Amino acid sequence: MYTVPKPVLRERLSRIKLLALDVDGVLTDGGLYYTDTGIELKRFNAKDGQGIQMVMKAGIRVAIVTTTTSRAVVHRAQRLGVRYVFTGIEDKLTVLKDLCNQLKITLAQVAYVGDDIIDLPILKIVGCPLTVADAMPENQDSAIYITRLAGGQGCVREICNILLEAHAKA
């Protein structure tokens, strides 16, 4: 759902050099799965993974910034070829600012997808604040685009598709 006019969204997306993603509630459905021995499991969507790879192939960098410390996130990122992976992060904004400095880009060139209130400081400052259909209302109020799909259900692929479309038309 567009919260800004489609041409405005397209123009802002066309300037993006980094797509940064939260994990729980964005790349996953937000559910926490544990085995009897206490091992945490995460379910990722294959379509999201394909979208991430397509975006990277188009020259847009991808980062994962999450509070979770699950090794499953690192394994998934490695499998996709995502180079910038930050786990166990409480201050996501500082990490993202440091990454932007390292990559020599501005926060205006970042699209960030976050679904919960811990993501609000980033959503309020990046060039393209994005969120998912089942995000917290505060996140939806801060986003310029809300996916049709829920977290873990292909929402990242949806974002990758509109990002690629915007870059193709630029």
PDB file of all heavy atoms in Angstrom, residues 2-32:
ATOM      1  N   TYR A   2       0.633   2.114  -0.920  1.00  0.00           N
ATOM      2  CA  TYR A   2       1.418   3.340  -1.019  1.00  0.00           C
ATOM      3  C   TYR A   2       0.899   4.360  -0.012  1.00  0.00           C
ATOM      4  O   TYR A   2      -0.290   4.635   0.024  1.00  0.00           O
ATOM      5  CB  TYR A   2       1.311   3.939  -2.428  1.00  0.00           C
ATOM      6  CG  TYR A   2       1.742   2.982  -3.503  1.00  0.00           C
ATOM      7  CD1 TYR A   2       0.823   2.218  -4.206  1.00  0.00           C
ATOM      8  CD2 TYR A   2       3.087   2.835  -3.796  1.00  0.00           C
ATOM      9  CE1 TYR A   2       1.230   1.328  -5.180  1.00  0.00           C
ATOM     10  CE2 TYR A   2       3.504   1.951  -4.773  1.00  0.00           C
ATOM     11  CZ  TYR A   2       2.569   1.203  -5.460  1.00  0.00           C
ATOM     12  OH  TYR A   2       2.987   0.328  -6.420  1.00  0.00           O
ATOM     13  N   THR A   3       1.793   4.902   0.784  1.00  0.00           N
ATOM     14  CA  THR A   3       1.396   5.974   1.692  1.00  0.00           C
ATOM     15  C   THR A   3       1.853   7.321   1.140  1.00  0.00           C
ATOM     16  O   THR A   3       1.542   8.353   1.717  1.00  0.00           O
ATOM     17  CB  THR A   3       1.955   5.750   3.104  1.00  0.00           C
ATOM     18  OG1 THR A   3       3.377   5.737   3.051  1.00  0.00           O
ATOM     19  CG2 THR A   3       1.457   4.436   3.692  1.00  0.00           C
ATOM     20  N   VAL A   4       2.601   7.277   0.046  1.00  0.00           N
ATOM     21  CA  VAL A   4       2.956   8.467  -0.737  1.00  0.00           C
ATOM     22  C   VAL A   4       2.550   8.157  -2.174  1.00  0.00           C
ATOM     23  O   VAL A   4       2.390   6.991  -2.543  1.00  0.00           O
ATOM     24  CB  VAL A   4       4.468   8.800  -0.654  1.00  0.00           C
ATOM     25  CG1 VAL A   4       4.878   9.142   0.766  1.00  0.00           C
ATOM     26  CG2 VAL A   4       5.327   7.690  -1.211  1.00  0.00           C
ATOM     27  N   PRO A   5       2.395   9.167  -3.011  1.00  0.00           N
ATOM     28  CA  PRO A   5       2.042   8.880  -4.413  1.00  0.00           C
ATOM     29  C   PRO A   5       3.088   7.972  -5.073  1.00  0.00           C
ATOM     30  O   PRO A   5       4.284   8.086  -4.793  1.00  0.00           O
ATOM     31  CB  PRO A   5       2.021  10.271  -5.060  1.00  0.00           C
ATOM     32  CG  PRO A   5       1.779  11.210  -3.922  1.00  0.00           C
ATOM     33  CD  PRO A   5       2.449  10.588  -2.724  1.00  0.00           C
ATOM     34  N   LYS A   6       2.624   7.105  -5.945  1.00  0.00           N
ATOM     35  CA  LYS A   6       3.504   6.133  -6.593  1.00  0.00           C
ATOM     36  C   LYS A   6       4.707   6.781  -7.280  1.00  0.00           C
ATOM     37  O   LYS A   6       5.829   6.270  -7.144  1.00  0.00           O
ATOM     38  CB  LYS A   6       2.703   5.276  -7.573  1.00  0.00           C
ATOM     39  CG  LYS A   6       3.472   4.086  -8.087  1.00  0.00           C
ATOM     40  CD  LYS A   6       2.592   3.171  -8.920  1.00  0.00           C
ATOM     41  CE  LYS A   6       3.372   1.966  -9.391  1.00  0.00           C
ATOM     42  NZ  LYS A   6       2.540   1.061 -10.176  1.00  0.00           N
ATOM     43  N   PRO A   7       4.559   7.897  -7.983  1.00  0.00           N
ATOM     44  CA  PRO A   7       5.752   8.519  -8.596  1.00  0.00           C
ATOM     45  C   PRO A   7       6.782   8.983  -7.551  1.00  0.00           C
ATOM     46  O   PRO A   7       7.984   8.907  -7.794  1.00  0.00           O
ATOM     47  CB  PRO A   7       5.184   9.713  -9.374  1.00  0.00           C
ATOM     48  CG  PRO A   7       3.753   9.367  -9.615  1.00  0.00           C
ATOM     49  CD  PRO A   7       3.325   8.555  -8.427  1.00  0.00           C
ATOM     50  N   VAL A   8       6.315   9.444  -6.413  1.00  0.00           N
ATOM     51  CA  VAL A   8       7.226   9.865  -5.341  1.00  0.00           C
ATOM     52  C   VAL A   8       7.975   8.650  -4.796  1.00  0.00           C
ATOM     53  O   VAL A   8       9.198   8.690  -4.602  1.00  0.00           O
ATOM     54  CB  VAL A   8       6.458  10.586  -4.206  1.00  0.00           C
ATOM     55  CG1 VAL A   8       7.367  10.847  -3.007  1.00  0.00           C
ATOM     56  CG2 VAL A   8       5.839  11.877  -4.721  1.00  0.00           C
ATOM     57  N   LEU A   9       7.263   7.559  -4.577  1.00  0.00           N
ATOM     58  CA  LEU A   9       7.887   6.327  -4.105  1.00  0.00           C
ATOM     59  C   LEU A   9       8.926   5.844  -5.109  1.00  0.00           C
ATOM     60  O   LEU A   9      10.062   5.524  -4.743  1.00  0.00           O
ATOM     61  CB  LEU A   9       6.841   5.238  -3.870  1.00  0.00           C
ATOM     62  CG  LEU A   9       7.386   3.875  -3.470  1.00  0.00           C
ATOM     63  CD1 LEU A   9       8.043   3.933  -2.086  1.00  0.00           C
ATOM     64  CD2 LEU A   9       6.285   2.829  -3.498  1.00  0.00           C
ATOM     65  N   ARG A  10       8.558   5.810  -6.371  1.00  0.00           N
ATOM     66  CA  ARG A  10       9.471   5.341  -7.413  1.00  0.00           C
ATOM     67  C   ARG A  10      10.738   6.195  -7.450  1.00  0.00           C
ATOM     68  O   ARG A  10      11.847   5.673  -7.555  1.00  0.00           O
ATOM     69  CB  ARG A  10       8.778   5.340  -8.773  1.00  0.00           C
ATOM     70  CG  ARG A  10       9.642   4.736  -9.871  1.00  0.00           C
ATOM     71  CD  ARG A  10       8.957   4.702 -11.219  1.00  0.00           C
ATOM     72  NE  ARG A  10       7.708   3.972 -11.158  1.00  0.00           N
ATOM     73  CZ  ARG A  10       6.554   4.455 -11.614  1.00  0.00           C
ATOM     74  NH1 ARG A  10       6.477   5.644 -12.164  1.00  0.00           N
ATOM     75  NH2 ARG A  10       5.456   3.730 -11.540  1.00  0.00           N
ATOM     76  N   GLU A  11      10.584   7.506  -7.346  1.00  0.00           N
ATOM     77  CA  GLU A  11      11.734   8.404  -7.400  1.00  0.00           C
ATOM     78  C   GLU A  11      12.647   8.166  -6.195  1.00  0.00           C
ATOM     79  O   GLU A  11      13.875   8.099  -6.335  1.00  0.00           O
ATOM     80  CB  GLU A  11      11.247   9.866  -7.432  1.00  0.00           C
ATOM     81  CG  GLU A  11      12.321  10.867  -7.801  1.00  0.00           C
ATOM     82  CD  GLU A  11      13.172  11.287  -6.626  1.00  0.00           C
ATOM     83  OE1 GLU A  11      12.652  11.389  -5.503  1.00  0.00           O
ATOM     84  OE2 GLU A  11      14.372  11.500  -6.827  1.00  0.00           O
ATOM     85  N   ARG A  12      12.067   8.000  -5.023  1.00  0.00           N
ATOM     86  CA  ARG A  12      12.881   7.769  -3.830  1.00  0.00           C
ATOM     87  C   ARG A  12      13.573   6.410  -3.893  1.00  0.00           C
ATOM     88  O   ARG A  12      14.743   6.281  -3.539  1.00  0.00           O
ATOM     89  CB  ARG A  12      12.027   7.918  -2.570  1.00  0.00           C
ATOM     90  CG  ARG A  12      11.742   9.397  -2.297  1.00  0.00           C
ATOM     91  CD  ARG A  12      10.774   9.638  -1.197  1.00  0.00           C
ATOM     92  NE  ARG A  12      11.323   9.387   0.130  1.00  0.00           N
ATOM     93  CZ  ARG A  12      10.646   9.651   1.237  1.00  0.00           C
ATOM     94  NH1 ARG A  12       9.432  10.182   1.189  1.00  0.00           N
ATOM     95  NH2 ARG A  12      11.176   9.380   2.409  1.00  0.00           N
ATOM     96  N   LEU A  13      12.873   5.401  -4.373  1.00  0.00           N
ATOM     97  CA  LEU A  13      13.475   4.077  -4.502  1.00  0.00           C
ATOM     98  C   LEU A  13      14.600   4.065  -5.540  1.00  0.00           C
ATOM     99  O   LEU A  13      15.554   3.306  -5.401  1.00  0.00           O
ATOM    100  CB  LEU A  13      12.419   3.034  -4.867  1.00  0.00           C
ATOM    101  CG  LEU A  13      11.467   2.618  -3.761  1.00  0.00           C
ATOM    102  CD1 LEU A  13      10.340   1.760  -4.330  1.00  0.00           C
ATOM    103  CD2 LEU A  13      12.189   1.882  -2.642  1.00  0.00           C
ATOM    104  N   SER A  14      14.497   4.887  -6.548  1.00  0.00           N
ATOM    105  CA  SER A  14      15.512   4.903  -7.606  1.00  0.00           C
ATOM    106  C   SER A  14      16.872   5.378  -7.085  1.00  0.00           C
ATOM    107  O   SER A  14      17.891   5.113  -7.707  1.00  0.00           O
ATOM    108  CB  SER A  14      15.062   5.776  -8.774  1.00  0.00           C
ATOM    109  OG  SER A  14      15.093   7.147  -8.427  1.00  0.00           O
ATOM    110  N   ARG A  15      16.896   6.058  -5.942  1.00  0.00           N
ATOM    111  CA  ARG A  15      18.142   6.567  -5.356  1.00  0.00           C
ATOM    112  C   ARG A  15      18.773   5.584  -4.361  1.00  0.00           C
ATOM    113  O   ARG A  15      19.838   5.860  -3.818  1.00  0.00           O
ATOM    114  CB  ARG A  15      17.884   7.891  -4.640  1.00  0.00           C
ATOM    115  CG  ARG A  15      17.500   9.004  -5.579  1.00  0.00           C
ATOM    116  CD  ARG A  15      17.314  10.299  -4.838  1.00  0.00           C
ATOM    117  NE  ARG A  15      15.933  10.365  -4.345  1.00  0.00           N
ATOM    118  CZ  ARG A  15      15.508  11.178  -3.399  1.00  0.00           C
ATOM    119  NH1 ARG A  15      16.329  12.004  -2.822  1.00  0.00           N
ATOM    120  NH2 ARG A  15      14.250  11.177  -3.025  1.00  0.00           N
ATOM    121  N   ILE A  16      18.131   4.454  -4.120  1.00  0.00           N
ATOM    122  CA  ILE A  16      18.572   3.532  -3.074  1.00  0.00           C
ATOM    123  C   ILE A  16      19.819   2.765  -3.500  1.00  0.00           C
ATOM    124  O   ILE A  16      19.881   2.200  -4.588  1.00  0.00           O
ATOM    125  CB  ILE A  16      17.428   2.559  -2.696  1.00  0.00           C
ATOM    126  CG1 ILE A  16      16.273   3.346  -2.066  1.00  0.00           C
ATOM    127  CG2 ILE A  16      17.917   1.456  -1.777  1.00  0.00           C
ATOM    128  CD1 ILE A  16      16.656   4.215  -0.878  1.00  0.00           C
ATOM    129  N   LYS A  17      20.781   2.734  -2.585  1.00  0.00           N
ATOM    130  CA  LYS A  17      22.031   1.988  -2.789  1.00  0.00           C
ATOM    131  C   LYS A  17      22.177   0.851  -1.781  1.00  0.00           C
ATOM    132  O   LYS A  17      23.022  -0.021  -1.942  1.00  0.00           O
ATOM    133  CB  LYS A  17      23.219   2.930  -2.682  1.00  0.00           C
ATOM    134  CG  LYS A  17      23.165   4.073  -3.676  1.00  0.00           C
ATOM    135  CD  LYS A  17      24.527   4.448  -4.149  1.00  0.00           C
ATOM    136  CE  LYS A  17      24.498   5.584  -5.124  1.00  0.00           C
ATOM    137  NZ  LYS A  17      24.029   5.237  -6.429  1.00  0.00           N
ATOM    138  N   LEU A  18      21.351   0.885  -0.715  1.00  0.00           N
ATOM    139  CA  LEU A  18      21.403  -0.146   0.324  1.00  0.00           C
ATOM    140  C   LEU A  18      19.989  -0.482   0.772  1.00  0.00           C
ATOM    141  O   LEU A  18      19.226   0.408   1.142  1.00  0.00           O
ATOM    142  CB  LEU A  18      22.221   0.346   1.528  1.00  0.00           C
ATOM    143  CG  LEU A  18      22.235  -0.576   2.756  1.00  0.00           C
ATOM    144  CD1 LEU A  18      22.993  -1.871   2.468  1.00  0.00           C
ATOM    145  CD2 LEU A  18      22.856   0.150   3.957  1.00  0.00           C
ATOM    146  N   LEU A  19      19.673  -1.763   0.736  1.00  0.00           N
ATOM    147  CA  LEU A  19      18.428  -2.276   1.295  1.00  0.00           C
ATOM    148  C   LEU A  19      18.789  -2.959   2.606  1.00  0.00           C
ATOM    149  O   LEU A  19      19.541  -3.936   2.614  1.00  0.00           O
ATOM    150  CB  LEU A  19      17.771  -3.285   0.338  1.00  0.00           C
ATOM    151  CG  LEU A  19      16.547  -4.037   0.885  1.00  0.00           C
ATOM    152  CD1 LEU A  19      15.414  -3.075   1.227  1.00  0.00           C
ATOM    153  CD2 LEU A  19      16.092  -5.094  -0.115  1.00  0.00           C
ATOM    154  N   ALA A  20      18.293  -2.425   3.717  1.00  0.00           N
ATOM    155  CA  ALA A  20      18.577  -2.984   5.041  1.00  0.00           C
ATOM    156  C   ALA A  20      17.304  -3.614   5.590  1.00  0.00           C
ATOM    157  O   ALA A  20      16.215  -3.036   5.482  1.00  0.00           O
ATOM    158  CB  ALA A  20      19.098  -1.900   5.977  1.00  0.00           C
ATOM    159  N   LEU A  21      17.465  -4.792   6.173  1.00  0.00           N
ATOM    160  CA  LEU A  21      16.319  -5.590   6.599  1.00  0.00           C
ATOM    161  C   LEU A  21      16.421  -6.012   8.057  1.00  0.00           C
ATOM    162  O   LEU A  21      17.484  -6.441   8.515  1.00  0.00           O
ATOM    163  CB  LEU A  21      16.233  -6.860   5.746  1.00  0.00           C
ATOM    164  CG  LEU A  21      16.190  -6.684   4.238  1.00  0.00           C
ATOM    165  CD1 LEU A  21      16.482  -7.995   3.534  1.00  0.00           C
ATOM    166  CD2 LEU A  21      14.833  -6.128   3.827  1.00  0.00           C
ATOM    167  N   ASP A  22      15.310  -5.940   8.747  1.00  0.00           N
ATOM    168  CA  ASP A  22      15.144  -6.578  10.042  1.00  0.00           C
ATOM    169  C   ASP A  22      14.885  -8.063   9.758  1.00  0.00           C
ATOM    170  O   ASP A  22      14.654  -8.454   8.608  1.00  0.00           O
ATOM    171  CB  ASP A  22      13.950  -5.931  10.760  1.00  0.00           C
ATOM    172  CG  ASP A  22      13.640  -6.554  12.110  1.00  0.00           C
ATOM    173  OD1 ASP A  22      14.581  -6.999  12.797  1.00  0.00           O
ATOM    174  OD2 ASP A  22      12.454  -6.601  12.476  1.00  0.00           O
ATOM    175  N   VAL A  23      14.909  -8.892  10.781  1.00  0.00           N
ATOM    176  CA  VAL A  23      14.673 -10.324  10.572  1.00  0.00           C
ATOM    177  C   VAL A  23      13.302 -10.748  11.094  1.00  0.00           C
ATOM    178  O   VAL A  23      12.396 -11.043  10.319  1.00  0.00           O
ATOM    179  CB  VAL A  23      15.786 -11.185  11.214  1.00  0.00           C
ATOM    180  CG1 VAL A  23      15.456 -12.672  11.116  1.00  0.00           C
ATOM    181  CG2 VAL A  23      17.117 -10.913  10.528  1.00  0.00           C
ATOM    182  N   ASP A  24      13.143 -10.790  12.416  1.00  0.00           N
ATOM    183  CA  ASP A  24      11.897 -11.302  12.991  1.00  0.00           C
ATOM    184  C   ASP A  24      10.733 -10.380  12.654  1.00  0.00           C
ATOM    185  O   ASP A  24      10.731  -9.201  13.006  1.00  0.00           O
ATOM    186  CB  ASP A  24      12.028 -11.467  14.502  1.00  0.00           C
ATOM    187  CG  ASP A  24      13.005 -12.568  14.877  1.00  0.00           C
ATOM    188  OD1 ASP A  24      13.079 -13.571  14.134  1.00  0.00           O
ATOM    189  OD2 ASP A  24      13.701 -12.429  15.897  1.00  0.00           O
ATOM    190  N   GLY A  25       9.766 -10.907  11.915  1.00  0.00           N
ATOM    191  CA  GLY A  25       8.617 -10.138  11.483  1.00  0.00           C
ATOM    192  C   GLY A  25       8.769  -9.544  10.095  1.00  0.00           C
ATOM    193  O   GLY A  25       7.827  -8.992   9.546  1.00  0.00           O
ATOM    194  N   VAL A  26       9.963  -9.663   9.514  1.00  0.00           N
ATOM    195  CA  VAL A  26      10.204  -9.193   8.142  1.00  0.00           C
ATOM    196  C   VAL A  26      10.667 -10.372   7.294  1.00  0.00           C
ATOM    197  O   VAL A  26       9.958 -10.821   6.400  1.00  0.00           O
ATOM    198  CB  VAL A  26      11.230  -8.034   8.104  1.00  0.00           C
ATOM    199  CG1 VAL A  26      11.583  -7.671   6.663  1.00  0.00           C
ATOM    200  CG2 VAL A  26      10.679  -6.810   8.838  1.00  0.00           C
ATOM    201  N   LEU A  27      11.865 -10.875   7.565  1.00  0.00           N
ATOM    202  CA  LEU A  27      12.348 -12.061   6.845  1.00  0.00           C
ATOM    203  C   LEU A  27      11.711 -13.339   7.381  1.00  0.00           C
ATOM    204  O   LEU A  27      11.767 -14.371   6.718  1.00  0.00           O
ATOM    205  CB  LEU A  27      13.869 -12.155   6.946  1.00  0.00           C
ATOM    206  CG  LEU A  27      14.636 -11.190   6.049  1.00  0.00           C
ATOM    207  CD1 LEU A  27      16.117 -11.183   6.397  1.00  0.00           C
ATOM    208  CD2 LEU A  27      14.442 -11.543   4.586  1.00  0.00           C
ATOM    209  N   THR A  28      11.144 -13.271   8.577  1.00  0.00           N
ATOM    210  CA  THR A  28      10.401 -14.404   9.138  1.00  0.00           C
ATOM    211  C   THR A  28       9.008 -13.918   9.514  1.00  0.00           C
ATOM    212  O   THR A  28       8.734 -12.719   9.498  1.00  0.00           O
ATOM    213  CB  THR A  28      11.077 -14.985  10.396  1.00  0.00           C
ATOM    214  OG1 THR A  28      10.858 -14.093  11.499  1.00  0.00           O
ATOM    215  CG2 THR A  28      12.560 -15.208  10.180  1.00  0.00           C
ATOM    216  N   ASP A  29       8.157 -14.843   9.894  1.00  0.00           N
ATOM    217  CA  ASP A  29       6.799 -14.470  10.294  1.00  0.00           C
ATOM    218  C   ASP A  29       6.736 -13.928  11.723  1.00  0.00           C
ATOM    219  O   ASP A  29       5.664 -13.590  12.212  1.00  0.00           O
ATOM    220  CB  ASP A  29       5.844 -15.655  10.132  1.00  0.00           C
ATOM    221  CG  ASP A  29       6.179 -16.835  11.028  1.00  0.00           C
ATOM    222  OD1 ASP A  29       7.079 -16.732  11.891  1.00  0.00           O
ATOM    223  OD2 ASP A  29       5.535 -17.889  10.861  1.00  0.00           O
ATOM    224  N   GLY A  30       7.877 -13.849  12.374  1.00  0.00           N
ATOM    225  CA  GLY A  30       7.920 -13.331  13.736  1.00  0.00           C
ATOM    226  C   GLY A  30       7.687 -14.386  14.788  1.00  0.00           C
ATOM    227  O   GLY A  30       7.848 -14.122  15.978  1.00  0.00           O
ATOM    228  N   GLY A  31       7.307 -15.587  14.368  1.00  0.00           N
ATOM    229  CA  GLY A  31       7.114 -16.678  15.316  1.00  0.00           C
ATOM    230  C   GLY A  31       8.451 -17.172  15.837  1.00  0.00           C
ATOM    231  O   GLY A  31       9.464 -17.092  15.143  1.00  0.00           O
ATOM    232  N   LEU A  32       8.464 -17.647  17.055  1.00  0.00           N
ATOM    233  CA  LEU A  32       9.676 -18.219  17.635  1.00  0.00           C
ATOM    234  C   LEU A  32       9.452 -19.711  17.790  1.00  0.00           C
ATOM    235  O   LEU A  32       8.537 -20.141  18.484  1.00  0.00           O
ATOM    236  CB  LEU A  32       9.990 -17.570  18.985  1.00  0.00           C
ATOM    237  CG  LEU A  32      10.261 -16.065  18.934  1.00  0.00           C
ATOM    238  CD1 LEU A  32      10.423 -15.508  20.331  1.00  0.00           C
ATOM    239  CD2 LEU A  32      11.493 -15.773  18.093  1.00  0.00           C
TER     240      LEU A  32
END
